[in-house]
């Protein structure tokens, strides 16, 4: 009998050793979620955003050898379903590489180069949310992260993007979550309505040191999918937003519509307004949002050379407004990044990309 008990104890210990060590799981109430309106509300204009012609600042970009070179050979972001397996694995490996790099020291209490990005996002709230600076700032934030993957971890494949309209209401069945080589599973909440720590996939057992909210309490990477919310990341809702004629109005719909529903639908760490980049799926979600922004711009070339709306401080945005990413990349004027095909040189890299469709 004693031998059997000893054997069971050894088996239990061995099993525990194989499982990832998980930081404390925080309740759903710990994560400050995104605010959103329904598609019907946006169609009715209940976000109360109107065009602002007095702050609408045109800026004409002359044709240049740089833009011509970009058009001839752009970096094409590939939708996940068409993204080769080798590139998928390389992308995941590059993110893990960033997590293994020491922090810059400029964003305490970040514990890695990866968490520098999460901490920056947290520090810049609310300047980068709840106002028209949101879309253009996050475009540059995503691109800066992409360049860090290249410079720090040698990732040179095209960046993937996620067409969430094809998975709306069914995020958890995407192979991004079901394939254990990728982002880890997307569970529903537990019996008490709380999120679940992720113990599968490439980021199993990940400890997040940034967040929740403005605090920095170590906690596990957790999720709690609500497919009634992810269902709002559909093509009809995207079209509602993209049918708006000026930047500030389109931005309001995009941010408070598919963007907010995607974050809150995945739940927990991703629903944390301040520290959502702690979940690596953040970058895939924001590739979707930037894609929708780019599709809106494709309708009218003027949409790549003009902007309107006021920032968090009530200051009108112009094409000369500086976008700051806290030293993770150079500060740039909006005019440099409003057109993803500008071909403008930013630091050691050329700002030049489009989407596969």
């Amino acid at each position: 009998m004693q031998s059997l008990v000893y054997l069971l104890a050894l088996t239990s210990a061995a099993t525990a050793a194989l499982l990832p060590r998980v930081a404390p799981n925080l309740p759903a109430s710990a994560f400050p979620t995104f605010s959103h309106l329904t598609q019907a509300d946006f169609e009715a204009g209940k976000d109360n955003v109107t065009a602002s012609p007095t702050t609408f600042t045109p800026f004409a970009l002359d044709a240049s050898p740089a833009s011509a070179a970009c058009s001839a050979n752009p970096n094409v972001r590939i939708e996940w379903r068409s993204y080769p397996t080798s590139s998928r694995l390389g992308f995941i490996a590059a993110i893990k590489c960033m997590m293994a790099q020491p922090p810059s020291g400029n964003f305490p209490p970040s514990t890695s180069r990866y968490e520098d990005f999460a901490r920056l996002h947290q520090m810049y709230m609310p300047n980068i949310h709840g106002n028209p600076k949101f879309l253009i700032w996050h475009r540059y934030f995503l691109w800066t992260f992409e360049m860090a993957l290249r410079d720090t971890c040698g990732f040179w494949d095209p960046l993937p993007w996620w067409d969430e309209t094809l998975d709306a209401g069914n995020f958890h069945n995407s192979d991004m979550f079901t394939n254990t080589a990728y982002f880890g599973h997307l569970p529903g909440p537990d019996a008490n309505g709380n999120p679940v720590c992720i113990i599968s996939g490439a980021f199993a057992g990940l400890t997040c040191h940034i967040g929740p909210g403005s605090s920095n309490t170590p906690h596990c990477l957790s999720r709690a999918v609500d497919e009634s919310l992810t269902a709002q990341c559909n093509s009809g809702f995207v079209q509602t937003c993209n049918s708006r004629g000026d930047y500030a109005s389109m931005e309001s719909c995009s941010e408070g519509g598919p963007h907010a529903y995607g974050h809150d639908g995945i739940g927990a760490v991703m629903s944390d307004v301040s520290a959502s980049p702690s979940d690596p799926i953040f970058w895939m979600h924001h590739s979707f949002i930037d894609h929708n922004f780019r599709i809106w711009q494709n309708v009218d070339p003027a949409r790549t050379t003009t902007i309107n709306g006021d920032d968090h401080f009530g200051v009108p945005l112009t094409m000369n407004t500086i976008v700051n990413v806290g030293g993770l990349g150079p500060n740039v004027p909006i005019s440099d990044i409003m057109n993803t095909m500008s071909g403008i040189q930013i630091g050691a890299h050329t700002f030049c990309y489009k989407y596969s469709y």
Side-chain angles (χ1 to χ4, degrees), residues 71-321:
S71 295
N73 189 30
N75 185 351
V76 181
R77 293 180 174 178
I78 306 297
E79 206 282 322
W80 183 260
R81 290 162 183 79
S82 301
Y83 204 49
T85 299
S86 60
S87 296
R88 294 180 177 191
L89 295 174
F91 178 59
I92 296 294
I95 295 176
K96 293 191 73 173
C97 165
M98 289 280 284
M99 292 176 173
Q101 300 302 310
S104 65
N106 298 323
F107 303 95
S110 165
T111 65
S112 69
R113 178 82 167 119
Y114 181 88
E115 285 194 336
D116 284 353
F117 282 84
R119 174 60 173 151
L120 170 72
H121 190 276
Q122 181 193 52
M123 290 169 59
Y124 278 22
M125 284 291 294
N127 187 33
I128 57 171
H129 279 269
N131 69 84
K133 201 171 188 178
F134 163 81
L135 269 184
I136 194 65
W137 189 90
H138 281 81
R139 164 173 287 177
Y140 190 50
F141 186 54
L142 176 61
W143 185 81
T144 301
F145 182 71
E146 179 186 6
M147 296 307 106
L149 292 180
R150 304 201 187 297
D151 292 341
T152 305
C153 294
F155 176 73
W156 287 100
D157 285 339
L159 197 72
W161 72 279
W162 179 17
D163 189 346
E164 292 180 12
T165 67
L166 301 178
D167 292 309
N170 195 32
F171 276 19
H172 74 284
N173 276 328
S174 167
D175 71 350
M176 286 190 297
F177 303 110
T178 60
N179 189 314
T180 56
Y182 305 143
F183 292 92
H185 65 301
L186 186 52
D190 67 17
N192 296 315
N194 290 316
V196 176
C197 293
I198 302 307
I199 58 171
S200 68
F203 306 104
L206 179 66
T207 296
C208 305
H209 299 90
I210 309 302
S214 60
S215 70
N216 293 302
T217 304
H219 54 286
C220 72
L221 170 61
S222 60
R223 298 175 184 141
V225 70
D226 182 340
E227 298 288 17
S228 71
L229 299 181
T230 72
Q232 302 309 308
C233 299
N234 60 71
S235 58
F237 208 151
V238 171
Q239 182 53 41
T240 290
C241 298
N242 281 10
S243 67
R244 292 186 164 191
D246 70 288
Y247 170 83
S249 297
M250 178 276 297
E251 184 284 327
S252 173
C253 182
S254 176
E255 182 180 2
H259 164 258
Y261 281 106
H263 274 282
D264 287 348
I266 292 172
V269 172
M270 258 294 277
S271 69
D272 183 348
V273 179
S274 294
S276 51
S278 293
D279 188 336
I281 202 64
F282 172 94
W283 309 105
M284 296 300 295
H285 179 54
H286 271 274
S287 68
F288 170 63
I289 300 305
D290 186 61
H291 167 267
N292 297 341
F293 177 19
R294 181 65 213 186
I295 295 302
W296 177 81
Q297 291 183 303
N298 287 344
V299 172
D300 183 351
R303 293 177 177 179
T304 63
T305 60
T306 53
I307 199 167
N308 69 324
D310 297 344
D311 70 11
H312 172 68
F313 302 100
V315 178
L317 295 177
T318 75
M319 296 298 281
N320 295 319
T321 298

Side-chain angles (χ1 to χ4, degrees), residues 328-340:
L328 292 176
N331 293 349
V332 295
I334 286 176
S335 58
D336 279 4
I337 57 175
M338 195 67 172
N339 182 2
T340 68

